[in-house]
Amino acid sequence: GFYMSMREKYTKPSAKIHYFVVEWDGDQLCWEDFRGQVLGATDPETAVAGSLRRLILEQWEELGLASKPDVGDNGVHASASPFEALAERMNWLGTSLQDDSFGKAMLTNIPRDTILAWTKDPQIQLAGAAKSCFDSLEDTNSQECLNIAQKIAGQEETKLERNTNTAFVFIKPHAACSDKTASLVLEVFKGRGFTVLSEGEISGTVIEEKKYIDNHYYAIANKAALSKPAELHPSPQAQEEFKTLFGLGWEDALSQRLVYNAVDGCKYFGVDGKTMDNLWAKAKKAKRLVKFGGGFYAGKIDTSEVQERVKVCVFGEGTFGTAVGTLFARNGHEVVLLARRPHRVDSINSQRKNPDYLKEYTLHENISATTDAAAAIANAALIVHSIPVQASSAYLSDKRDLIPPHVPVVSLSKGIHLTNLNFMCHIIEDALQRKQPCAFFSGPSFARELMDGQPTGIVVASEDAAVAARVQRLVGSSVIRVYTSTDVIGVEVGGALKNIYAIAAGAAEGMGFKLNTAALIITRGCSEMKKLAVALGARPATVSGLSGIGDLMLTCFGGASRNRTVGVRLGKGEKLQDILESMGEVAEGVPTAGAALKLVKQLGLDLPITTTVGEVLEGIKPFSALTDLMQLPLKEED
């Protein structure tokens, strides 16, 4: 139960550790004395005078620590053996076996795969008994540690040139908040004759992203953070107990996404580790647990106690950003629109009206607006990005340092960048120069119908299923049905290409053609959409869902579609430039068509409607283009 609250101390954005790799002569100071005399006992109250843990306890206020050290927050961690130090250097610093002096010594006659397996602290056989690998090697000097490891592996003993010990030491987050602590630790190491091989800091954001703390505490974290529910294989008896206790089968619970590990559960419910620990403790007390074996339990927490209300920052105050912000606001969340125009901010905050977009609606009381990016983003649990694709890179780059690396960005933008041919999933990562948690919101959803509370289905896609599930939970309601997906590319392709086919369908209508023609364009457009999606690695089934054919039908047939309107006016003979200059908002299909034309050629795909729309926007007459399409060689339907 304690792991999640402990883990959070390391992974919150403001956290960090300060590490040292230190070396000393094992013949002068044994490892046991290094831990007992230099590091100090686990309880700093009982640590020997002059040890690191005792010094930090005695000087905690002078060092600037927020609270007095105790058994859990005892200032400093250090490896318990040369092998544990090797495992920690490999985890925290990315050190390779062959480049590490102790690792190289082990590789002389112990297989690499064996060494790597040992870093997870499995049970091993030694002297006829099963015990922890780490425990078997604890408090040994390098020479002894190497020889015990060789004995476990059934290999001949070898001798090191020097009995040099190398440890990995880090100042824990509660004490690393002060640079004075690092100076104290360094002073102690130098005063005792240690050689400091390297020193540095690792932020909480990186610790979370790289799962450093989970790999550090692998035996515990494997159950709380690393293993996913679908990877578990409970026995038939355990599954029967699960069904009896909870009223549905294990496979049904998995398919309905009702089961999470502790880390993903915190993300889904938007709670911290301490809260999750309390919820789990209550489930245990109420006997709502089933033992799966191997240290794994399945428990049902009481979600009625989780009343999550979060701040949502919306980038952009246009039609769709305002409408989706309204969905969050109606669910009780605080919504701040980051606006470009001060007059819109004044009107939204004073009159509850967006003067330029959706002006006929009175906005929800939970919605406010500002032009101050720092204020809008501060303390936001989600950032909803509603900026046109072509402008997104510059917009996000400008706010890179304001956007916390752990806050999910939910993109509403649909399209392909005209220059680099990137979709939003790539644009966000490139602009922020990091792997940001992201989700992509798509599906047939006109803004005004969302404002009117019309029953609507959407899909939210993310590589991280827990992120998608959390967005689903925060935005879904009795009239907004949200499905999740992990097929980000499939959802993005559907959202981008449907705008191209809407231009085609609109052009056909503008030229006077009716539903037969529209149905032909839509059906073949769906086929082309699937071909491009699959070529980019997406799942074909995604195109048949809300983000594919669902959004395609709405955009091609719906009168509120900006892209369809562009097509209708082109079909009637208007010039593209005149059309775009007269529109109040961006029709993403126009630049996307040009980008798709390049992408299709680059991939060597035969997508005639996609290609033709791109050519029409470059100047070919719509009627000639349609005639050319109808005269293509006949073939079997795909």
Side-chain angles (χ1 to χ4, degrees):
F2 76 93
Y3 180 71
M4 286 306 299
S5 54
M6 183 277 292
R7 180 185 191 273
E8 196 165 82
K9 295 176 182 178
Y10 286 82
T11 58
K12 62 185 180 182
S14 60
K16 67 178 180 179
I17 67 162
H18 192 110
Y19 70 83
F20 302 86
V21 178
V22 297
E23 183 180 88
W24 73 95
D25 185 347
D27 294 330
Q28 299 297 316
L29 178 72
C30 69
W31 203 287
E32 184 175 8
D33 287 344
F34 161 68
R35 295 179 69 207
Q37 304 299 317
V38 181
L39 177 66
T42 301
D43 184 351
E45 295 279 3
T46 63
V48 299
S51 66
L52 288 170
R53 286 172 174 164
R54 186 58 178 265
L55 287 171
I56 292 172
L57 171 66
E58 293 171 346
Q59 301 177 36
W60 71 272
E61 291 177 301
E62 180 185 333
L63 292 172
L65 274 59
S67 59
K68 184 179 180 181
D70 54 27
V71 173
D73 290 331
N74 55 14
V76 188
H77 163 86
S79 320
S81 73
F83 179 72
E84 187 171 312
L86 168 64
E88 291 177 352
R89 290 192 294 274
M90 291 170 65
N91 174 42
W92 291 94
L93 305 181
T95 305
S96 63
L97 274 173
Q98 63 271 19
D99 293 333
D100 186 276
S101 58
F102 191 71
K104 191 182 297 183
M106 295 186 75
L107 283 170
T108 56
N109 61 0
I110 302 177
R112 173 186 297 273
D113 289 347
T114 299
I115 299 171
L116 294 177
W118 286 352
T119 64
K120 305 302 183 186
D121 193 23
Q123 293 288 300
I124 51 90
Q125 290 290 324
L126 183 64
K131 60 189 303 187
S132 155
C133 180
F134 283 4
D135 288 350
S136 302
L137 303 171
E138 188 170 303
D139 283 337
T140 57
N141 285 330
S142 292
Q143 183 64 66
E144 183 184 4
C145 183
L146 174 63
N147 293 155
I148 294 174
Q150 289 168 331
K151 183 177 181 180
I152 295 170
Q155 302 292 338
E156 294 284 332
E157 293 185 0
T158 59
K159 187 167 180 60
L160 297 169
E161 291 183 11
R162 295 170 54 229
N163 190 25
T164 301
N165 290 331
T166 308
F168 182 74
V169 180
F170 65 75
I171 303 172
K172 296 182 178 182
H174 77 100
C177 60
S178 167
D179 292 338
K180 293 180 180 179
T181 312
S183 298
L184 172 64
V185 173
L186 184 62
E187 181 183 341
V188 169
F189 282 142
K190 289 185 174 179
R192 291 180 177 249
F194 285 77
T195 299
V196 178
L197 299 178
S198 64
E199 177 184 359
E201 292 183 348
I202 304 175
S203 70
T205 300
V206 173
I207 293 171
E208 171 70 273
E209 179 184 344
K210 302 293 186 181
K211 305 299 181 190
Y212 287 148
I213 194 65
D214 299 320
N215 285 311
H216 184 84
Y217 290 108
Y218 183 83
I220 303 171
N222 185 45
K223 301 171 179 63
L226 299 176
S227 291
K228 301 292 186 180
E231 297 168 359
L232 305 182
H233 301 286
S235 67
Q237 180 182 351
Q239 292 195 43
E240 188 59 37
E241 290 179 17
F242 183 95
K243 187 172 184 178
T244 300
L245 185 59
F246 302 130
L248 80 168
W250 172 247
E251 294 298 329
D252 290 334
L254 289 176
S255 66
Q256 295 176 39
R257 295 186 183 277
L258 297 176
V259 191
Y260 298 92
N261 65 23
V263 170
D264 288 344
C266 286
K267 287 182 187 177
Y268 178 73
F269 290 111
V271 299
D272 58 19
K274 184 176 181 180
T275 301
M276 181 58 74
D277 283 347
N278 290 336
L279 291 170
W280 184 259
K282 290 179 180 179
K284 184 177 181 181
K285 184 176 181 180
K287 301 187 184 303
R288 296 194 301 268
L289 296 184
V290 175
K291 185 175 182 179
F292 277 5
F296 289 95
Y297 288 80
K300 185 178 181 181
I301 62 173
D302 185 357
T303 58
S304 66
E305 297 186 25
V306 182
Q307 304 245 328
E308 187 180 13
R309 296 291 181 266
V310 303
K311 178 181 176 181
V312 177
C313 171
V314 179
F315 286 171
E317 75 282 25
T319 299
F320 202 58
T322 301
V324 173
T326 297
L327 301 183
F328 284 100
R330 287 171 178 166
N331 284 355
H333 307 299
E334 175 192 357
V335 176
V336 180
L337 306 179
L338 178 56
R340 292 164 293 175
R341 302 284 186 266
H343 78 278
R344 293 175 191 155
V345 171
D346 292 342
S347 179
I348 291 169
N349 292 340
S350 63
Q351 302 176 37
R352 315 235 55 79
K353 295 279 188 178
N354 188 326
D356 299 318
Y357 306 109
L358 301 172
K359 60 180 91 173
E360 66 271 33
Y361 293 94
T362 298
L363 299 183
H364 195 281
E365 62 182 10
N366 289 347
I367 295 177
S368 63
T370 181
T371 56
D372 184 339
I377 295 168
N379 302 315
L382 285 180
I383 292 172
V384 175
H385 180 82
S386 186
I387 301 298
V389 169
Q390 310 307 318
S392 288
S393 182
Y395 187 94
L396 290 167
S397 295
D398 183 57
K399 296 164 182 61
R400 180 188 307 124
D401 295 336
L402 296 175
I403 299 173
H406 69 286
V407 173
V409 174
V410 182
S411 175
L412 311 183
S413 310
K414 301 172 183 178
I416 309 172
H417 195 276
L418 188 55
T419 303
N420 55 34
L421 309 185
N422 279 339
F423 288 87
M424 280 302 302
C425 57
H426 307 117
I427 290 171
I428 294 171
E429 185 172 339
D430 290 348
L432 300 182
Q433 297 180 5
R434 58 179 179 254
K435 191 75 173 175
Q436 188 83 13
C438 292
F440 301 87
F441 184 108
S442 195
S445 47
F446 281 153
R448 281 178 169 76
E449 295 191 17
L450 294 178
M451 296 297 289
D452 290 337
Q454 295 289 322
T456 302
I458 60 173
V459 61
V460 173
S462 176
E463 292 179 357
D464 186 336
V467 170
R470 189 178 184 209
V471 176
Q472 178 188 49
R473 181 169 172 265
L474 293 177
V475 77
S477 69
S478 60
V479 293
I480 303 297
R481 187 164 178 81
V482 185
Y483 296 84
T484 62
S485 172
T486 55
D487 187 5
V488 169
I489 288 294
V491 166
E492 286 229 71
V493 168
L497 264 62
K498 57 94 178 182
N499 288 326
I500 298 174
Y501 307 132
I503 292 174
E509 181 180 336
M511 288 185 285
F513 298 108
K514 299 195 180 296
L515 293 179
N516 284 4
T517 312
L520 170 63
I521 291 169
I522 292 168
T523 307
R524 297 308 302 163
C526 188
S527 174
E528 292 189 14
M529 186 186 289
K530 184 178 296 185
K531 287 179 183 177
L532 180 59
V534 170
L536 294 174
R539 296 193 293 267
T542 302
V543 176
S544 300
L546 289 166
S547 63
I549 194 166
D551 211 357
L552 176 64
M553 292 180 67
L554 181 76
T555 310
C556 289
F557 285 122
S561 167
R562 294 192 295 272
N563 294 285
R564 177 179 170 277
T565 299
V566 168
V568 170
R569 294 174 66 179
L570 281 171
K572 290 181 176 179
E574 292 187 54
K575 293 181 179 179
L576 178 62
Q577 191 63 35
D578 294 339
I579 298 170
L580 297 180
E581 288 177 357
S582 68
M583 297 182 72
E585 292 188 272
V586 174
E588 286 279 20
V590 175
T592 295
L597 182 60
K598 296 178 185 178
L599 185 58
V600 167
K601 290 178 180 177
Q602 187 181 96
L603 296 172
L605 297 174
D606 179 26
L607 307 183
I609 299 176
T610 306
T611 302
T612 298
V613 173
E615 291 172 344
V616 166
L617 295 176
E618 290 180 352
I620 294 177
K621 297 294 184 184
F623 189 83
S624 298
L626 181 59
T627 301
D628 290 343
L629 277 175
M630 294 302 293
Q631 292 178 350
L632 288 172
L634 299 176
K635 62 177 185 177
E636 184 179 359
E637 184 177 33
D638 50 24

